[in-house]
Amino acid sequence: MTRLLEVAGVGKSFRGLRALHELSFEVGAGERVAVIGPNGAGKTTCFNLLCGVHKPDAGQIRLRGQRIDGLRPDQVCARGVGRTFQIVRPFSGLSVLDNVVVGALHGERSLVVARERARVILERLALGDKRDQPAQTLTLPERKRLELARALATRPELLLLDEVMAGLRPTECDQLLAVLADLQRTSGFALLLIEHVLRAVRALAERVIVLHHGELIANGPPEQVLREPLVVASYLGPDALPGAAP
């Protein structure tokens, strides 16, 4: 598998509090990788470093072999990294369509082309019939799909999903999983997702990375990693093991 993202020895502290320490992992082109761990493990800090929100104190981040650590978020996006956020905040004063056009215009000069791309994406995410509605009228599952649509409109090679299943009912989670699997299969982008919903991790991820106290403690196939004693002890608990009661 061709290496797309490489995180090498990355560290980050905030006012003396260590958030990440010597974090290293890779994501291949088209690969689906989940990042899990308890609250405060460093997952969101990791995403913020990948996206250019913060600059690492140590280590390097490379995309297709080129360093992106230290770049601004818009520059990282232009290199091919898209992101959703755990708390969805659409532009409430804009229509659903125009929210996605904002993403499509990143790297696209033609408004006509951007609007057409936004329409196509909204149709694929079952939001086409709501494209002219104000974004603030959408339900939570619809806002989640809108957030995803806006990220997809930037044409990412690597899509970062930050707890995209949070707040969804099981049926809504399954529907979004099916959409994501179809989009990733047809578009070929790599997925790196922070997720606490283990049914989503098992269904979508080919590999799981576990963080604890800012350090990587496990990296491998989901069913292997989710059974590792250190992962169970630090994060999951015995009730989360495969075969345990839901």
Side-chain angles (χ1 to χ4, degrees), residues 21-151:
H21 178 64
E22 295 186 358
L23 177 63
S24 298
F25 66 89
E26 298 177 358
V27 176
E31 190 179 14
R32 303 186 304 273
V33 181
V35 181
I36 66 172
N39 292 332
K43 304 182 299 296
T44 297
T45 298
C46 175
F47 267 30
N48 285 338
L49 294 179
L50 296 179
C51 292
V53 176
H54 300 304
K55 183 177 180 179
D57 299 329
Q60 297 182 359
I61 302 171
R62 296 180 180 271
L63 187 74
R64 299 186 306 276
Q66 301 296 315
R67 289 188 66 172
I68 60 172
D69 51 282
L71 297 182
R72 300 189 310 267
D74 61 299
Q75 293 172 322
V76 175
C77 181
R79 297 287 181 94
V81 179
R83 179 185 181 177
T84 68
F85 292 84
Q86 178 184 356
I87 301 175
V88 291
R89 293 192 179 101
F91 298 108
S92 58
L94 298 181
S95 69
V96 170
L97 177 65
D98 285 342
N99 265 268
V100 184
V101 169
V102 169
L105 282 172
H106 195 88
E108 174 55 63
R109 295 183 179 181
S110 169
L111 179 59
V112 173
V113 173
R115 291 183 71 84
E116 180 57 30
R117 174 165 176 76
R119 288 190 188 96
V120 170
I121 293 172
L122 287 173
E123 289 292 341
R124 294 197 67 182
L125 291 171
L127 289 172
D129 60 340
K130 299 181 182 294
R131 62 178 179 269
D132 296 323
Q133 295 184 16
Q136 61 189 5
T137 66
L138 297 181
T139 64
L140 176 61
E142 290 169 344
R143 292 199 303 273
K144 293 274 187 177
R145 296 204 303 272
L146 176 59
E147 180 89 353
L148 177 60
R150 190 166 54 194

Side-chain angles (χ1 to χ4, degrees), residues 138-175:
L138 297 181
T139 64
L140 176 61
E142 290 169 344
R143 292 199 303 273
K144 293 274 187 177
R145 296 204 303 272
L146 176 59
E147 180 89 353
L148 177 60
R150 190 166 54 194
L152 289 170
T154 66
R155 300 178 183 270
E157 289 187 70
L158 173 65
L159 181 59
L160 311 182
L161 302 180
D162 192 348
E163 295 194 38
V164 71
M165 305 296 169
L168 300 184
R169 295 190 293 267
T171 54
E172 295 166 342
C173 178
D174 290 343
Q175 290 168 355

